[in-house]
Amino acid sequence: MTTFYLVRHGVKEKVAGDAPLSPAGVLQAQATASYFRRMPIRAIYTSPLRRARETAERIALECGLTLAVERRLRERANWGDLPGQSFDEFVAMWDRCTRERDYVPPVGDSARQAGKRLCSLMKQLSAAHPGSEAVLVTHGGLITDFLLNEIPEERLEAWHPHFAAAQSELVPECSITKLLYVGEQFQLDRFASTCHLTHESP
């Protein structure tokens, strides 16, 4: 069994392109790093986007591990990747990708493609490091893209009614989603928990 912790990056600055963490996001990232310090994490991987890297760097430092950048952890699309695209245009494109999971936008991947690349990474890591625990710092959209590909809808709706329709609102910044990979199947153990940010029990 391999255990994966999918961490969404902290709150970012509201700018186009490769946005950094905001001051609030830095505090979230540090709280998340403190949480993982007590755990037997063996590896940490991050999306190349700055907001994810800045979150992951703090976790790696607390855990005493070397951080690895992995392009398969990138969001399905990022505002600023398409030159001249306004934020409203980006949101409209994003929403269409969410509704139509096989729609390939002018830049980036379809929701289904994005989920498949995260799945391929997790299976590869599980084969290389069986029985280990790994943190993957990524993006909210990619997390739900993966879950909708790999977890039966009725199980997702046990975590939140109308999961597919509400997906864009379900993964807060620096939340932790825990998955177990057992017998070539993914099991969702915890979804979008923020207890470590509020000092509550998970």
Side-chain angles (χ1 to χ4, degrees), residues 136-152:
L136 310 182
V137 183
T138 183
H139 305 270
L142 187 62
I143 292 171
T144 54
D145 289 343
F146 165 81
L147 292 175
L148 285 163
N149 280 4
E150 299 299 324
I151 306 295

Side-chain angles (χ1 to χ4, degrees), residues 9 18 25 57-58 92 99 105 108 122 130-131 135-136 150 161 173-174 183 190:
H9 59 80
D18 198 7
E57 284 164 0
R58 288 165 171 81
R99 292 190 311 270
M122 293 170 71
V135 172
L136 310 182
E150 299 299 324
E173 286 88 352
C174 269
R190 188 190 318 163

Side-chain angles (χ1 to χ4, degrees), residues 14 19 22 40 43 61 72-73 81 88 96 98 108-109 119 127 130 142 149-150 158 166 169 176:
K14 295 182 179 180
S22 69
L61 183 63
R72 282 174 286 181
L73 290 171
D81 287 354
D88 287 344
R96 181 176 177 186
T98 300
D109 297 321
C119 181
L142 187 62
N149 280 4
E150 299 299 324
E169 310 298 326
I176 299 172

Side-chain angles (χ1 to χ4, degrees), residues 82-148:
L82 189 62
Q85 186 181 50
S86 70
F87 181 67
D88 287 344
E89 289 169 338
F90 172 77
V91 170
M93 182 188 78
W94 181 272
D95 288 346
R96 181 176 177 186
C97 286
T98 300
R99 292 190 311 270
E100 303 172 28
R101 302 197 68 241
D102 291 307
Y103 168 69
V104 180
V107 61
D109 297 321
S110 72
R112 198 176 307 278
Q113 289 171 335
K116 284 181 177 180
R117 62 174 154 79
L118 176 53
C119 181
S120 74
L121 171 63
M122 293 170 71
K123 288 183 176 180
Q124 178 183 323
L125 294 178
S126 181
H129 308 286
S132 64
E133 300 192 13
V135 172
L136 310 182
V137 183
T138 183
H139 305 270
L142 187 62
I143 292 171
T144 54
D145 289 343
F146 165 81
L147 292 175
L148 285 163

Side-chain angles (χ1 to χ4, degrees), residues 7-15 17-33 46 49-59 137-139 172-175:
V7 179
R8 185 184 176 187
H9 59 80
V11 175
K12 66 175 182 176
E13 296 286 2
K14 295 182 179 180
V15 295
D18 198 7
L21 292 177
S22 69
V26 170
L27 293 176
Q28 289 179 325
Q30 191 56 54
T32 305
T46 183
L49 291 174
R50 184 176 173 185
R51 56 193 183 270
R53 284 190 292 105
E54 290 181 351
T55 302
E57 284 164 0
R58 288 165 171 81
I59 299 172
V137 183
T138 183
H139 305 270
E173 286 88 352
C174 269
S175 62

